[in-house]
Amino acid sequence: AEAAAILRVRHCRADIFCRRPPPRCPACGRPLSGVGLSAAPVRLPNPFRQGHRQPRAFLLRPTAGTFLGGYDGKSDLHVGITNSHGVVYNYNEEGIHRAETGWEQCISIPLVQPDMFGLLQEWDKLLEEFSVGEAWLPHRYEEHDHNCYTYALAFINSVLTAEGKRQMSKSEFTEKFVIPQTKKASKYLTLHQELTDNDFYIVPLPDQEKQC
């Protein structure tokens, strides 16, 4: 089930995170209605996407379970690449899978800009042709050196090469595209876990942002 949205209210020089806006500030007890826009509840964007609705994207999800369903921040992650219809191509010890379900809660990184017309047309063909390559047979799988990430990055690099662009190393791709998204997701997960047990989670603002 989808967790309720996380809201942020700013009051008492703090960010107060909650599921439902409280009538009074949990820090000072004063009413929150009529104190102006700064205290109006803001809904935090959910960093997780329904992966099967994300065409031509790099997806990341826990190998077991879901992010909001008890992910501990340390368990293994699994990655895949969607075709234009949201079918997730992914590689594991059983070889290549073309999944139409199971990726409903993911971190999604779009790979094709809307102005790349040639690539938009060719994407599915390129992905399918790449995926039937010998490299992705089940017996080639190796947990650390020839895995789901190797497959996804090799496909991205094959596209970059075809477009006449420079290939990316694993660390470069991770640093540039994956880490900014996982940082956002990690903050959201912390709040989600805090609000599973508590009505509020209060974070004092750094000095320069303090406002009442």
Side-chain angles (χ1 to χ4, degrees):
E2 269 304 293
I6 297 177
L7 306 173
R8 187 195 73 203
V9 176
R10 200 161 265 189
H11 199 255
C12 272
R13 300 177 179 174
D15 277 338
I16 300 156
F17 296 97
C18 50
R19 298 282 188 199
R20 272 177 228 86
R24 294 177 172 276
C25 171
C28 70
R30 286 184 302 198
L32 283 176
S33 57
V35 288
L37 268 182
S38 62
V42 174
R43 187 187 173 131
L44 296 196
N46 183 333
F48 304 113
R49 300 276 167 270
Q50 162 34 303
H52 300 289
R53 293 200 199 120
Q54 309 294 317
R56 298 174 284 270
F58 174 96
L59 302 182
L60 196 66
R61 68 162 171 82
T63 303
T66 61
F67 279 116
L68 294 173
Y71 176 66
D72 62 4
K74 294 178 211 55
S75 312
D76 285 347
L77 293 171
H78 191 44
V79 306
I81 297 221
T82 51
N83 71 6
S84 60
H85 304 291
V87 175
V88 186
Y89 281 63
N90 60 100
Y91 176 60
N92 66 10
E93 61 278 5
E94 294 161 12
I96 293 289
H97 300 264
R98 296 164 183 78
E100 297 189 21
T101 59
W103 295 72
E104 287 77 19
Q105 202 185 88
C106 301
I107 292 171
S108 170
I109 298 161
L111 295 173
V112 183
Q113 302 304 320
D115 59 353
M116 299 178 172
F117 300 114
L119 206 44
L120 291 172
Q121 302 301 318
E122 293 285 297
W123 188 263
D124 291 2
K125 181 167 149 275
L126 293 171
L127 185 56
E128 182 58 42
E129 284 173 3
F130 179 81
S131 302
V132 295
E134 296 249 318
W136 316 116
L137 290 169
H139 69 273
R140 292 279 175 88
Y141 183 85
E142 211 289 310
E143 192 179 351
H144 299 294
D145 300 318
H146 195 78
N147 54 25
C148 59
Y149 204 130
T150 319
Y151 161 76
L153 187 63
F155 174 68
I156 291 167
N157 276 327
S158 75
V159 171
L160 288 170
T161 303
E163 295 271 295
K165 295 181 180 149
R166 193 176 59 79
Q167 294 206 350
M168 296 182 97
S169 68
K170 181 177 177 179
S171 57
E172 190 182 0
F173 182 79
T174 306
E175 190 70 31
K176 192 170 172 187
F177 296 104
V178 180
I179 289 175
Q181 299 294 336
T182 50
K183 276 188 176 158
K184 278 185 215 159
S186 166
K187 281 186 185 160
Y188 193 89
L189 278 177
T190 302
L191 295 171
H192 170 73
Q193 278 150 2
E194 289 289 341
L195 294 174
T196 305
D197 307 322
N198 308 294
D199 287 342
F200 306 107
Y201 180 59
I202 300 176
V203 180
L205 285 173
D207 281 344
Q208 71 274 19
E209 289 186 40
K210 285 190 174 172
Q211 52 187 44
C212 213

